[in-house]
Amino acid sequence: MTIAIYPGSFDPVTKGHLDIIIRSSKIMDHLIVAVLENPRKVASYNIEKRVEMLKLVTEPYPNVEVDYYKGLLIDYAEQKKIDIIVKGLRAISDFEFEFQMALVNQKLNPAIETLFMMTNSKYSYLSSSIVKEIAALGGDISSLVPPEVHDIIIEIYK
Ligand code: ADP
């Protein structure tokens, strides 16, 4: 049984994230989407909201679980007996940071592999920050985020 983790801020979840979740859940036996609680990064949505949004959009996928963690990803991964870390890659600009993280995690625990999944070209420009910028300026984000979470996302800009 292959257990994978897809970690991120998901502040908030976008259609780009959901695409990676759906595609990787088809390859893995079990996928844990884990929201990182990062005390150094100020989030727009609190951890409960981010988890709630992910639960809403992953409801149709029975092998997908949503959780959150604090601290080192590798510690959480060991505790959950995870085999694979899934990361999405949008552009060359994602590569350098993700490459470094993958090598560090490999050093910390060589038994846990990092797998990169290429973005769907439809979503290669999409990030949580872009969604927030458009929403803050009153723009229409309905093509960028899953419909189940649209209203929750725009709530903070009303
Ligand atoms: P963001 O950079 O949008 O704030 P996160 O920190 O929540 O995203 O990202 C979690 C993971 O999802 C990372 O591996 C990131 O590269 C990936 N990801 C984010 N947006 C997309 C997208 N549009 N297509 C593919 N992967 C993505």
Side-chain angles (χ1 to χ4, degrees):
M1 165 129 164
T2 307
I3 308 179
I5 183 172
Y6 175 40
S9 313
F10 305 106
D11 187 38
V13 60
T14 68
K15 281 192 176 176
H17 293 130
L18 185 58
D19 180 72
I20 299 285
I21 294 172
I22 295 170
R23 285 160 60 206
S24 52
S25 72
K26 287 184 189 152
I27 304 171
M28 309 298 171
D29 294 311
H30 189 72
L31 179 72
I32 303 177
V33 182
V35 183
L36 165 67
E37 200 172 346
N38 186 346
R40 279 176 292 113
K41 226 170 152 180
V42 183
S44 307
Y45 300 88
N46 66 30
I47 203 94
E48 291 79 16
K49 266 272 158 324
R50 286 183 272 157
V51 167
E52 180 194 334
M53 288 192 268
L54 280 165
K55 282 189 174 161
L56 281 170
V57 302
T58 58
E59 217 203 88
Y61 311 100
N63 67 335
V64 177
E65 174 192 339
V66 180
D67 196 9
Y68 64 91
Y69 71 98
K70 250 191 227 157
L72 266 188
L73 173 61
I74 280 293
D75 289 341
Y76 175 83
E78 284 169 2
Q79 183 198 320
K80 289 278 183 177
K81 308 224 175 312
I82 277 151
D83 308 287
I84 292 170
I85 300 169
V86 174
K87 288 304 202 73
L89 275 187
R90 276 162 294 194
I92 308 282
S93 50
D94 277 343
F95 180 78
E96 202 161 302
F97 176 72
E98 295 295 353
F99 182 59
Q100 186 184 21
M101 288 301 295
L103 292 183
V104 167
N105 286 330
Q106 190 182 64
K107 188 109 194 140
L108 295 174
N109 187 336
I112 301 177
E113 291 289 353
T114 301
L115 287 188
F116 291 100
M117 188 167 267
M118 287 304 152
T119 183
N120 183 320
S121 58
K122 282 196 289 194
Y123 305 128
S124 61
Y125 59 88
L126 191 50
S127 70
S128 297
S129 7
I130 285 286
V131 166
K132 287 185 281 191
E133 245 167 74
I134 296 172
L137 297 170
D140 180 10
I141 57 161
S142 49
S143 60
L144 312 178
V145 300
E148 300 88 337
V149 294
H150 175 273
D151 291 357
I152 304 177
I153 294 173
I154 61 169
E155 191 59 40
I156 63 169
Y157 299 104
K158 280 183 179 162

